[in-house]
Structures are given as structure tokens and as C-alpha cells.
Amino acid sequence: MKFGFCAVAFMTLISVSASASMFEAGKHCVGYKFKKKSLSFFNSQVIAKNCDVSAQLLPVVGGGYQIEVSVPISAFESEDKGWDQELRDVLKESDQPDVIFHSKVLSEKEWKQLVQRPKVNLDGEISLGNKTFPINTPCALTKVPGGIEIDGVTSVPFAKFELQPPKKGGGFIVKADSDLEIYFHLVSEKFLGADKIFGAPEKDKDIIKDAMKTIDEKSGVVVDKPAKDKDSM
């Protein structure tokens, strides 16, 4: 009975930790995590982070916009350089140096509606090793001054990307588990060309503008003084 309770508690802890964010607020990064198994059956994890991430909002021919996120494979770093190199080989860095994500194309109105929700599924595709694969990732949106922050995590099998899990010693010494956890935390302010959609709503901008005008008027500086009516002159 006691063993059963411990097992349930342990699995719950794993589930909670798997869904927790890898990054602090304000970070603009991507990361991955996978379990590794050795002959001693002792399981540990490889955790790598990469904050050399570029993102932009691209207008699409025919109308609409899509998010593009580019992540250089060489910039992923964990505490084990050997595993870093193993994963670079698995991700076929020599064929395609960056992992690239393209979101589904949405209209300006659809994007503005989407970013008002606290939780969304980001639909799109990932390109790596010169191949493209569909992906749908749940993420949380947090409003911050000047825009939003996007945080998400998803677990996918290496096989989904037609990849073999990394291993050492031919897999007889240590090998990775079959699943790869992908983490990301992106800041809209660092998206090139995203002000139009992810910036502060016009209503918020007007409130800020009025507040600054009041401060200037109190300090004796008149801002946006309306022109006099010619008839009153």
C-alpha cells in the first residue's frame, strides 16, 4: 500500500516537472531535455539551453502573417559537451545548421484575437535536416508591458522527426530515451516586425500617452497643444 502511494506521488511529480517552464520571465530562449539510460539502469537527464534565438513576424504573399523562429543547433549547451555533439549529429547540423519553426498563417485580426487568450495551441511546422514536420504545441501567453511572453513545452518522440535517439558506445553504454522534451520561452518585443500585432493595444498606448501629457503639463511643458480656431482670433 505504501509502495503504491509512493509510486503515484513519484509519477505525479514527474508530470508536474515536465510541464514546468525551463526559463525565467524575460528570457528569449529554446531548450531541450531527454532522459538517458545506462547499463547500471540509473536514469539521469541531459538538459540544454539556447538563447541565441531569432524570431520575426513575416507578411505572407496573398495576405496574413506567420511567425518564424530560427534556432542555431550549435548554440545548444548542456553540462555535457559530449552529449551536445551527439545531439548535433542526430539533428543533422551539417545538412541544416538551424532548426526553423514556421507557424500557421493567420490574418492580422486572427493573430490579435489569439494573443488575447491565456492558453493556445501554436500550430505550424519544424524544419530540420532539410525535412519538414508538422507540430502542434500548447503554450501559455502572458501579457507584459509592450507585448506578450510565450512559454511552452511539448514532448515528442525522436521518431516523429525521423531521427534516432543519441547514444554513446553504440548504445551499449548509454543511450537516450525515445522522447525529446522541447521547451521555449519567447518575448514578442524581440520579434522583428511584430509591433503591429504583439505590441500594446492602441487603448493602452492612448492611456500611456495621456498620462505622459499630464506629467508634461504639470511640469510646465505643453504637449500636443491644439491649434487655435481661426474664428476666435
Side-chain angles (χ1 to χ4, degrees):
M1 186 74 175
K2 191 176 292 186
F3 173 80
F5 173 80
C6 291
V8 171
F10 179 71
M11 294 305 295
T12 301
L13 180 62
I14 291 177
S15 176
V16 170
S17 63
S19 61
S21 177
M22 182 184 285
F23 303 103
E24 301 172 357
K27 294 292 186 181
H28 190 68
C29 307
V30 174
Y32 67 75
K33 182 190 298 184
F34 61 83
K35 296 177 183 178
K36 56 182 180 179
K37 302 177 181 179
S38 65
L39 290 176
S40 63
F41 301 103
F42 174 76
N43 291 337
S44 58
Q45 293 182 324
V46 174
I47 301 172
K49 299 180 180 181
N50 182 348
C51 294
D52 189 12
V53 177
S54 61
Q56 56 184 328
L57 187 71
L58 298 174
V60 178
V61 176
Y65 298 85
Q66 70 177 166
I67 292 173
E68 179 185 87
V69 180
S70 182
V71 185
I73 297 172
S74 61
F76 280 106
E77 292 186 355
S78 71
E79 294 182 355
D80 189 325
K81 301 302 181 184
W83 279 108
D84 291 344
Q85 187 56 56
E86 289 290 335
L87 200 75
R88 288 170 193 166
D89 293 341
V90 166
L91 295 179
K92 303 177 182 178
E93 180 188 14
S94 59
D95 294 338
Q96 182 181 321
D98 296 337
V99 175
I100 300 174
F101 168 79
H102 283 110
S103 73
K104 179 180 178 181
V105 178
L106 298 176
S107 68
E108 181 179 337
K109 180 180 179 181
E110 289 172 327
W111 276 118
K112 287 183 175 180
Q113 291 175 339
L114 187 75
V115 299
Q116 296 305 312
R117 305 173 192 168
K119 293 183 179 181
V120 300
N121 282 343
L122 198 56
D123 196 11
E125 57 186 28
I126 282 183
S127 174
L128 58 90
N130 293 324
K131 293 184 179 181
T132 302
F133 307 92
I135 190 167
N136 186 284
T137 307
C139 53
L141 306 183
T142 304
K143 292 183 180 180
V144 295
I148 61 170
E149 294 192 10
I150 308 168
D151 188 87
V153 55
T154 186
S155 180
V156 295
F158 281 96
K160 178 180 176 66
F161 303 129
E162 299 180 8
L163 303 174
Q164 293 294 324
K167 56 190 176 182
K168 290 185 178 181
F172 294 103
I173 300 176
V174 186
K175 65 179 180 179
D177 197 8
S178 59
D179 291 338
L180 177 69
E181 291 180 19
I182 302 172
Y183 294 76
F184 58 91
H185 191 99
L186 304 173
V187 180
S188 67
E189 277 192 333
K190 297 186 179 181
F191 280 56
L192 184 65
D195 291 346
K196 185 175 184 180
I197 292 177
F198 298 126
E202 290 302 319
K203 182 175 67 174
D204 293 347
K205 292 180 181 178
D206 290 341
I207 292 173
I208 294 171
K209 183 177 179 182
D210 290 343
M212 293 303 297
K213 180 178 178 181
T214 301
I215 292 172
D216 290 334
E217 288 175 343
K218 287 182 178 179
S219 64
V221 179
V222 179
V223 180
D224 293 337
K225 184 177 180 180
K228 290 184 178 180
D229 194 325
K230 291 182 178 179
D231 295 336
S232 65
M233 294 178 67

